[in-house]
């Protein structure tokens, strides 16, 4: 069989920065004995190393260099067509007992799973290079920051981790030489990229991850969903903090008053777009800045929640990104970026459905086939992604690296719902807010393999990412609320409600500022809201819709609470809680009853 990741032979002085920590050395040695690579490459994150890896990746056709004038220092990667999204069915939480993983996770026995994976990894890196990637998650001087090491035989993973994390010497230094220090052990091997031998396994009690058989981002950039969310959420509960699938944004008024907001939307439901929002003209003087676009680690200080973004790059959805929907993302991916599974134009530029301007007359699609506007297939995969450094973002928050984190005024939950859910509403209090998060649902997207467009419950947008029992996760949220003397207000939004024509009722994107403004007003104590059975809704005059071309009828529809729809929705909440088999805290069961009672009134 063809070796899809042939070993590289770096020049002297590159790939040899072995850390001093004996625990790391022992672990790498153990994996080396098992996987039998041709050599070991110790990454330090330097420019020289970067150049060497890029040259090698191009030589192996793992990366295609793009037109230097159009997209400087940027590259295209095509993943195997069988390997284009997260695979939830092959993702496992291997806690000592099944109950610890809970009803929403796939569970497998740790000892058996280690044995099985050892079998799969035996000799898996023969003829390949084993890369050791040290990285930190979080700002360099934050108490929340954690160290991880990822072993991988994929050069694409190394180059992606270099963008997505703070990688190299900085992590080795932070870990130091204490063999008992806490750090995450991640092992990744492409194997032969066969879906039948694809497994993403987490061992929270060992702070360890083993991922085999995939080369796609969310399955293999182990810093991200695997460490920062699945293992992260497990550690967070044990250590009293929170690891959430949330963007973090700053919003500053013309008077200079600034708030930070965190929002949990499921995969491909608008986090990156919301985090980079540009307010419409009418909001002159208002500024939105990005702290993070996917993950928030939050701790309690002085009775408030403070958040950091543990990442250092964006791994974002490409299709639909353009100068109208998200100009800041367009600027972020203008240079020094990796593109995965988009189309390549004849002049070495990238193209995707929804990019500005007319489609190219000819291109090579994400599979490597000829493509023209008449082709039936899409040029870019619906889950094609960009990998771009946060520093490229023109609206990166100046306090992005603040170690103590940024104080969160509001938490927003939201999903993709064609019906039922109004544009925005506010919970009555923290506990009710936890209920909103716990009962959240969204239509599935291309970010994970499987059917698209089906409504599924996705509590706090963490269904695929909670590394332990979801009932305990709800309990953790409730317990955090009890410790907060100044808790964020909690809201629910839905940018995706559709009218009878099947079109979105709300313009979305920059105009989401109008909803954000109401959220900020409420955080500052405004009483512009109407009580409804599901929570506080903005009255027609509480939302600033000036200069927005929208039918009043649409606004009514957007804010409407249809009692028939809600009867069904409530039944779905109950069904979901029942399906969890008795792990749901009594406070949330009671919230469900209170909601029913408010409707009965
Ligand atoms: P992950 O990276 O998978 O976690 O996704 P995400 O939550 O960051 O989603 P992203 O911002 O990349 O948006 C996903 C898709 O939703 C893109 O195709 C966007 O164009 C679309 N989208 C984002 N915001 C809006 C909005 O306000 N309205 C509408 N109609 N579509 C939106
Ligand atoms: C998501 O699916 O929520 C993503 C992309 O952010 S991935 O990193 O693949 O999980
Ligand atoms: Mn995500």
């Amino acid at each position: 069989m063809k070796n899809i990741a042939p070993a590289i032979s770096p020049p002297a002085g590159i790939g040899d920065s072995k850390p001093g920590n004996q625990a790391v050395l022992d672990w790498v040695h153990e994996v080396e004995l098992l996987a039998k690579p041709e050599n070991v490459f110790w990454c330090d994150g330097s420019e020289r190393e970067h150049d060497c890896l890029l040259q090698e990746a191009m030589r192996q056709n793992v990366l295609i260099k793009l037109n230097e004038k159009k997209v400087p220092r940027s590259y295209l990667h095509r993943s195997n067509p069988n390997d284009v999204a997260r695979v939830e069915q092959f993702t496992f939480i291997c806690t000592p007992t099944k109950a610890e993983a809970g009803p929403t996770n796939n569970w497998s026995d740790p000892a058996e799973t280690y044995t099985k994976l050892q079998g799969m990894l035996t000799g898996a890196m023969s003829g390949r290079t084993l890369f050791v990637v040290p990285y930190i998650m979080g700002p360099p001087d934050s108490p929340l920051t954690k160290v991880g090491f990822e072993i991988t035989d994929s050069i694409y993973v190394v180059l992606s981790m270099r963008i997505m994390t703070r990688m190299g010497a900085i992590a080795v230094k932070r870990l130091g030489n204490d063999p008992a220090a806490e750090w995450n052990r991640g092992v990744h091997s492409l194997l032969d990229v066969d879906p039948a031998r694809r497994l993403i396994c987490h061992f929270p009690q060992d702070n360890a991850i083993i991922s085999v058989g995939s080369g796609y981002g969310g399955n293999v950039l182990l810093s991200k969903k695997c460490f920062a969310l699945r293992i992260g959420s497990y550690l967070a509960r044990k250590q009293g903090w929170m690891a959430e699938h949330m963007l973090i944004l700053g919003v500053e008024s013309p008077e200079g008053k600034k708030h930070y907001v965190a929002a949990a939307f499921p995969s491909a439901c608008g986090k990156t777009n919301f985090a980079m929002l540009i307010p419409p003209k009418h909001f002159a003087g208002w500024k939105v800045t990005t702290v993070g676009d996917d993950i928030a680690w939050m701790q309690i200080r002085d009775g408030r929640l403070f958040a950091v973004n543990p990442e250092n790059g964006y791994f974002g959805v490409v299709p639909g990104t353009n100068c109208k929907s998200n100009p800041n993302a367009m600027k972020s991916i203008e240079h020094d970026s990796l593109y995965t599974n988009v189309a390549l134009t004849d002049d070495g530029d990238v193209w995707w459905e929804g990019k500005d301007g007319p489609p190219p007359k000819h291109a090579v699609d994400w599979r490597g086939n000829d493509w023209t506007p008449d082709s039936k297939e899409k040029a870019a995969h619906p889950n094609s992604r960009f990998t771009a450094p946060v520093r490229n973002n023109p609206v990166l928050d100046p306090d992005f690296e603040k170690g103590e984190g940024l104080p969160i005024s509001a938490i927003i939950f939201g999903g993709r719902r064609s019906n039922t859910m109004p544009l925005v509403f506010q919970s009555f209090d923290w506990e009710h807010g936890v209920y909103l998060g716990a009962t959240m649902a969204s239509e599935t997207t291309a970010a994970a393999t499987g059917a698209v467009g089906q409504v599924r419950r996705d509590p706090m947008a963490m269904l695929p990412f909670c590394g332990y029992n979801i009932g305990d996760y709800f309990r953790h949220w409730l317990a955090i609320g009890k410790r907060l003397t100044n808790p964020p207000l909690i809201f629910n939004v839905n940018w995706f409600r559709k009218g009878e024509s099947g079109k979105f009722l709300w313009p979305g994107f920059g105009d989401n500022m109008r909803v954000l403004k109401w959220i900020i007003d409420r955080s500052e104590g405004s009483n512009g809201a109407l009580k409804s059975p599901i929570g506080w809704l903005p009255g027609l005059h509480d939302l600033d819709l000036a200069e927005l071309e929208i039918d009043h009828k649409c606004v009514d529809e957007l804010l409407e609470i249809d009692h028939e729809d809600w009867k069904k929705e409530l039944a779905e909440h109950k069904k979901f809680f029942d399906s969890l088999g008795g792990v749901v805290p009594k406070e949330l069961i009671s919230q469900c009853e209170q909601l029913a009672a408010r409707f009965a009134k």
Side-chain angles (χ1 to χ4, degrees):
M1 195 186 302
K2 186 171 158 261
N3 183 359
I4 53 171
I8 72 166
S9 30
I14 293 186
D16 58 3
S17 28
K18 248 190 203 189
N21 192 303
Q22 197 56 44
V24 176
L25 297 174
D26 290 347
W27 168 72
V28 173
H29 188 60
E30 204 181 294
V31 178
E32 196 186 343
L33 286 179
L34 184 68
K36 301 186 183 66
E38 183 148 319
N39 53 8
V40 176
F41 186 115
W42 303 87
C43 299
D44 65 4
S46 66
E47 278 305 322
R48 258 188 90 208
E49 168 184 289
H50 188 216
D51 291 343
C52 162
L53 294 174
L54 282 171
Q55 291 308 320
E56 190 57 38
M58 284 187 288
R59 207 176 60 78
Q60 294 185 8
N61 275 326
V62 169
L63 294 185
I64 298 170
K65 169 120 182 82
L66 297 170
N67 185 318
E68 182 62 22
K69 289 220 177 68
K70 301 204 169 208
V71 240
R73 301 176 298 281
S74 299
Y75 302 83
L76 168 67
H77 172 74
R78 296 194 188 112
S79 74
N80 189 313
N82 75 31
D83 185 32
V84 294
R86 284 184 294 101
V87 281
E88 295 178 2
Q89 71 278 30
F90 303 136
T91 300
F92 288 84
I93 302 295
C94 309
T95 39
T97 65
K98 189 172 187 329
E100 285 164 89
T104 55
N105 281 311
N106 298 315
W107 174 83
S108 66
D109 175 74
E112 277 171 28
T113 311
Y114 274 129
T115 305
K116 180 170 171 179
L117 289 164
Q118 273 158 9
M120 295 169 91
L121 283 168
T122 300
M125 296 189 189
S126 91
R128 299 183 184 183
T129 294
L130 179 159
F131 297 95
V132 184
V133 183
Y135 64 92
I136 57 171
M137 295 304 279
D141 67 347
S142 175
L144 277 164
T145 292
K146 296 199 180 286
V147 175
F149 278 75
E150 176 166 356
I151 286 175
T152 178
D153 55 10
S154 159
I155 201 165
Y156 165 77
V157 167
V158 180
L159 288 163
S160 302
M161 289 293 283
R162 191 175 194 278
I163 298 176
M164 292 306 296
T165 71
R166 295 156 176 95
M167 184 266 248
I170 188 171
V172 171
K173 186 157 166 245
R174 175 144 183 143
L175 181 66
N177 286 340
D178 176 4
E182 180 195 77
W183 54 281
N184 180 266
R185 292 154 164 76
V187 178
H188 164 248
S189 174
L190 293 163
L191 305 184
D192 45 2
V193 195
D194 175 358
R197 304 206 309 144
R198 186 167 294 158
L199 283 174
I200 325 294
C201 300
H202 306 72
F203 304 87
Q205 68 286 356
D206 302 332
N207 199 351
I209 306 156
I210 303 178
S211 164
V212 294
S214 171
Y216 167 76
N219 300 328
V220 300
L221 308 179
L222 301 184
S223 58
K224 195 173 177 60
K225 297 300 154 86
C226 300
F227 180 28
L229 287 181
R230 297 196 190 96
I231 301 277
S233 61
Y234 177 95
L235 294 175
R237 172 167 168 257
K238 263 200 353 201
Q239 300 169 352
W241 52 283
M242 301 174 96
E244 299 297 331
H245 190 201
M246 289 180 180
L247 68 94
I248 310 159
L249 62 77
V251 50
E252 192 179 331
S253 72
E255 296 76 41
K257 180 124 205 257
K258 191 154 184 184
H259 287 274
Y260 292 93
V261 169
F265 309 157
S267 302
C269 289
K271 287 183 300 302
T272 302
N273 278 271
F274 194 45
M276 297 183 180
L277 176 158
I278 297 182
K281 274 209 190 67
H282 171 66
F283 286 82
W286 284 86
K287 264 199 303 226
V288 171
T289 49
T290 316
V291 181
D293 82 323
D294 200 49
I295 297 173
W297 281 2
M298 301 189 283
Q299 63 175 349
I300 301 174
R301 282 169 56 94
D302 309 327
R304 294 192 78 177
L305 265 188
F306 281 72
V308 300
N309 169 13
E311 300 191 282
N312 203 29
Y314 307 120
F315 184 62
V317 176
V318 175
T321 307
N322 59 52
C323 293
K324 193 160 170 279
S325 66
N326 194 346
N328 289 322
M330 287 303 282
K331 291 210 183 79
S332 303
I333 61 181
E334 261 173 11
H335 56 92
D336 298 282
S337 298
L338 301 180
Y339 288 86
T340 301
N341 294 338
V342 299
L344 179 67
T345 64
D346 295 346
D347 58 354
D349 199 355
V350 276
W351 192 79
W352 54 84
E353 278 73 18
K355 196 182 183 187
D356 304 275
K361 292 203 170 59
H362 174 265
V364 177
D365 72 11
W366 67 275
R367 287 188 168 91
N369 299 326
D370 284 317
W371 183 93
T372 71
D374 295 330
S375 300
K376 280 196 209 68
E377 311 272 335
K378 287 204 150 74
H381 188 275
N383 192 40
S384 51
R385 295 264 165 178
F386 57 76
T387 312
V390 295
R391 300 283 160 198
N392 281 6
N393 179 358
V395 297
L396 180 67
D397 193 275
D399 284 330
F400 163 69
E401 300 242 271
K402 201 166 183 175
E404 66 182 50
L406 298 161
I408 299 298
S409 302
I411 287 176
I412 309 177
F413 296 117
R416 200 178 267 273
R417 295 293 301 271
S418 306
N419 51 45
T420 315
M421 301 305 276
L423 178 63
V424 59
F425 64 101
Q426 184 194 344
S427 76
F428 295 120
D429 53 30
W430 181 271
E431 201 171 286
H432 180 225
V434 174
Y435 179 78
L436 299 188
T439 54
M440 228 173 105
S442 194
E443 289 149 23
T444 49
T445 65
T449 57
V452 165
Q454 305 201 326
V455 176
R456 74 164 181 183
R457 297 293 135 187
D458 187 350
M460 283 82 170
M462 284 287 278
L463 181 73
F465 308 120
C466 180
Y468 61 99
N469 190 308
I470 199 81
D472 291 330
Y473 172 75
F474 294 157
R475 249 168 235 110
H476 183 50
W477 265 84
L478 294 169
I480 291 280
K482 293 218 168 68
R483 289 169 54 202
L484 294 170
T485 48
N486 191 357
L489 303 184
I490 300 183
F491 297 81
N492 196 96
V493 301
N494 177 22
W495 313 143
F496 301 95
R497 196 165 186 173
K498 290 179 176 168
E500 263 166 27
S501 67
K503 289 218 178 81
F504 292 126
L505 290 163
W506 181 244
F509 302 101
D511 284 309
N512 293 334
M513 180 67 208
R514 300 170 190 277
V515 173
L516 184 57
K517 173 69 169 40
W518 182 68
I519 289 172
I520 298 304
D521 289 347
R522 293 292 287 167
S523 304
E524 292 194 337
S526 138
N527 51 20
L530 303 170
K531 203 166 187 175
S532 86
I534 66 169
W536 295 102
L537 283 163
L540 260 189
H541 300 285
D542 301 320
L543 276 181
D544 188 343
L545 301 177
E547 293 172 31
L548 179 67
E549 290 204 15
I550 188 169
D551 224 305
H552 268 283
K553 222 183 104 242
C554 284
V555 182
D556 289 342
E557 270 184 76
L558 276 162
L559 293 174
E560 189 193 14
I561 298 170
D562 182 299
H563 284 236
E564 282 309 305
D565 283 352
W566 271 92
K567 221 184 251 168
K568 287 184 216 144
E569 179 70 15
L570 193 61
E572 289 300 324
H573 293 186
K574 286 199 186 114
K575 205 168 113 194
F576 177 57
F577 280 0
D578 286 347
S579 78
L580 298 180
V583 305
V584 180
K586 62 177 188 326
E587 290 89 339
L588 298 187
I589 305 279
S590 155
Q591 284 291 334
C592 190
E593 288 160 3
Q594 291 171 47
L595 175 61
R598 288 194 298 269
F599 269 113
K601 255 199 239 155

